[in-house]
């Protein structure tokens, strides 16, 4: 399927899923000192953008050097997502990713794997490999999608105040159930492609 700038932007926005990730953003950012939250959010978005930008240009070569396939990337992403989903459903000390209270996230878990996860890596890789002549359009679409994700991350504290802690907690558990289904689907899709393609 050929993509336009708009369809690539929408696809990347769906894959990054900033609104669906709010129940994970909020508890992680809550442990960061208030005066540093904006700086941390911008830094993590820039790191995630750099990872996806690099994967867009060099992802295919990296997978070949490491003797990895997109199928293994999909299965690994599904397993990691399943572990995150289980922590979301059954509240875990230290939050979803087991981070100590008050510790600032650096690369993990906001930049990678939450924003620049396996599904986002696979998406930019497929865009770049299927239509390499329109690479600058895909870079622009990625930039716009990351800007929207960054805005959601910057506003997550205000969104938490608007919704309240109990609603956020309920959303976190609900998203955990949805993520469980997505994770299982990713693993099954990767295994199906491995055995039947």
């Amino acid at each position: 399927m050929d993509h336009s700038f708009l369809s690539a932007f929408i696809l990347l926005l769906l894959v990054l899923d900033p609104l669906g990730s709010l129940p994970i953003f909020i508890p992680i950012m809550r442990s960061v000192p208030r005066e540093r939250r904006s700086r941390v959010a911008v830094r993590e978005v820039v790191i995630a953008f750099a990872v996806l930008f690099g994967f867009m240009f060099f992802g295919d070569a990296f997978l070949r050097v490491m003797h990895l396939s997109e199928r293994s990337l999909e299965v690994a992403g599904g397993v990691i997502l399943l572990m995150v989903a289980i922590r979301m459903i059954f509240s875990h000390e230290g939050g979803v990713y087991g981070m100590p209270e008050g510790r600032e996230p650096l690369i993990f878990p906001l930049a990678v794997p939450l924003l620049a996860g396996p599904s986002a890596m696979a998406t930019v890789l497929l865009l770049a490999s299927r239509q390499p002549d329109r690479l600058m359009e895909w870079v622009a679409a990625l930039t716009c999608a990351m800007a929207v994700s960054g805005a959601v991350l910057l506003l997550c504290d205000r969104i938490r105040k608007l919704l309240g802690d109990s609603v956020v907690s309920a959303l976190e558990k609900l998203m955990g159930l949805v993520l469980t289904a997505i994770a299982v689907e990713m693993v099954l899709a990767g295994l199906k492609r491995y055995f039947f393609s």
Side-chain angles (χ1 to χ4, degrees), residues 43-107:
R43 182 189 68 206
E44 296 302 297
V45 169
V46 168
I47 292 169
F49 174 79
V51 168
L52 293 177
F53 182 84
F55 214 79
M56 185 177 282
F57 283 90
F58 308 111
D60 196 38
F62 173 77
L63 290 179
R64 281 200 307 271
V65 167
M66 300 299 293
H67 302 289
L68 298 171
S69 66
E70 289 173 29
R71 297 181 292 274
S72 62
L73 196 65
E74 201 166 19
V75 172
V79 170
I80 292 168
L81 205 58
L82 184 61
M83 292 169 68
V84 170
I86 289 169
R87 283 175 179 257
M88 286 173 70
I89 296 167
F90 304 103
S91 297
H92 188 272
E93 189 178 348
V96 172
Y97 288 95
M99 289 185 64
E101 191 70 28
R103 185 172 173 187
E104 199 173 278
L106 176 61
I107 302 177

Side-chain angles (χ1 to χ4, degrees), residues 5 17 35 45 55 73 83 99 102 128 141 143 157 161 186 192 195:
F5 168 82
D17 192 20
E35 64 277 4
V45 169
F55 214 79
L73 196 65
M83 292 169 68
M99 289 185 64
T143 304
D157 197 45
K161 286 178 183 173
M186 280 178 73
K192 183 180 178 183
F195 286 110

Side-chain angles (χ1 to χ4, degrees), residues 127-189:
L127 282 172
S129 62
R130 286 179 183 168
Q131 293 174 279
D133 54 312
R134 301 175 65 186
L135 206 53
M136 288 304 106
E137 281 187 65
W138 311 147
V139 171
L142 176 62
T143 304
C144 293
M146 289 303 296
V148 172
S149 298
V152 171
L153 185 54
L154 284 167
L155 294 171
C156 72
D157 197 45
R158 291 181 188 176
I159 294 169
R160 181 185 66 82
K161 286 178 183 173
L162 184 69
L163 296 177
D165 285 336
S166 58
V167 174
V168 169
S169 178
L171 276 174
E172 185 177 1
K173 295 190 186 309
L174 181 62
M175 280 307 301
L177 291 169
V178 174
L179 279 179
T180 302
I182 293 170
V184 171
E185 190 65 36
M186 280 178 73
V187 172
L188 291 176

